[in-house]
Amino acid sequence: LFRSKPEEFERILHGKLPNGKEISSRSNTKDKDGKVRAHLPGTDLTFSAPKSVSIAALVLGDEKIVEAHKRAVSAALEFAEEHAAVGRKKEGKKTVVEKTGNLLIARFDHDTARETKEAPPDPQLHSHCVVMNATKRKDGKWVSAPNTLLLNQKMLLGAIYRAQLAHDLQNMGYRVRRTHADGRFEIVGVSREQIEGFSHRRAEIGRAHV
């Protein structure tokens, strides 16, 4: 992960690295017609806390939960680096994939959902993590990072985030109850009425799809 100014972030999205190196503006990925695809700037991974967790952290003011959320996001990103970071290289006439173990990630932590027409923004603890299309091979060369493995593991990364968050919350004294088979949960003691009362954005989306 790195800290950067907006203009540096934009340059990296275009394949221009902080060290002055430039990744090719075209990827090694071909479409079904055999044409090389344009450079892929990055992949957005979003980790969002359950609504009851956001309420406890942002409405009731438990700042330790915000830190637990950040740790859970970091756990998911570390798993992604270990298992989904790859770069291509040439071995003779063949192109092979090498596990690199590193990713270039820009992380944006937020505490509100989008504003609705009916109400101010709801509390919503979440992080957008833009995984740049760049990784460093063992030979020190920066290359494009195919995002196929990353996308294939997207659901797993979400599960890792939720498992780590639930673990930390329980260590902090909170009780949690699982609400879905994929590991989604809510904090015991936060009612459904309270959750819906701070979910104007979700309600607006639901009405739009009726």
Side-chain angles (χ1 to χ4, degrees):
L1 286 83
F2 69 95
R3 294 182 181 274
S4 69
K5 297 178 180 179
E7 57 269 22
E8 185 177 16
F9 172 62
E10 185 174 354
R11 285 198 298 269
I12 294 173
L13 286 176
H14 287 88
K16 299 176 182 178
L17 301 172
N19 63 2
K21 299 291 184 180
E22 184 172 352
I23 293 176
S24 173
S25 60
R26 302 186 70 80
S27 71
N28 293 322
T29 306
K30 296 183 179 181
D31 60 23
K32 61 181 180 180
D33 298 319
K35 295 181 180 179
V36 179
R37 294 178 183 173
H39 174 74
L40 175 70
T43 303
D44 180 27
L45 301 177
T46 302
F47 300 94
S48 187
K51 181 60 70 172
S52 60
V53 175
S54 292
I55 292 172
L58 305 172
V59 179
L60 302 180
D62 191 341
E63 295 182 0
K64 292 184 295 183
I65 293 180
V66 177
E67 296 307 312
H69 162 77
K70 292 179 180 179
R71 287 195 299 271
V73 172
S74 294
L77 295 180
E78 287 168 6
F79 183 91
E81 282 199 301
E82 183 177 353
H83 297 281
V86 296
R88 295 187 178 95
K89 66 177 182 179
K90 284 283 189 180
E91 286 189 356
K93 295 182 178 180
K94 293 184 178 180
T95 298
V96 298
V97 174
E98 173 190 297
K99 288 188 68 175
T100 62
N102 64 84
L103 292 168
L104 198 57
I105 304 170
R107 175 169 161 176
F108 304 88
D109 297 316
H110 299 285
D111 58 11
T112 60
R114 290 183 182 178
E115 189 172 359
T116 71
K117 296 178 180 178
E118 303 173 355
D122 292 315
Q124 187 58 56
L125 190 60
H126 65 287
S127 297
H128 290 282
C129 302
V130 182
V131 183
M132 304 298 188
N133 183 16
T135 188
K136 183 184 284 187
R137 294 191 319 219
K138 293 177 182 178
D139 61 8
K141 183 177 180 180
W142 285 93
V143 294
S144 294
N147 68 347
T148 304
L149 287 175
L150 197 63
L151 294 177
N152 287 344
Q153 294 182 356
K154 197 168 185 178
M155 299 300 290
L156 176 58
L157 295 176
I160 291 170
Y161 161 76
R162 290 189 294 272
Q164 181 65 51
L165 180 59
H167 174 76
D168 280 4
L169 288 171
Q170 290 176 94
N171 283 343
M172 292 162 58
Y174 288 95
R175 292 167 54 217
V176 302
R177 56 182 177 83
R178 192 172 70 168
T179 58
H180 295 78
D182 62 2
R184 279 177 283 174
F185 68 92
E186 298 290 355
I187 289 177
V188 173
V190 179
S191 69
R192 173 50 52 184
E193 290 74 19
Q194 290 171 318
I195 291 174
E196 292 178 355
F198 287 103
S199 301
H200 296 95
R201 175 66 179 170
R202 177 179 293 180
E204 185 178 69
I205 293 173
R207 289 192 295 272
H209 287 80
V210 173

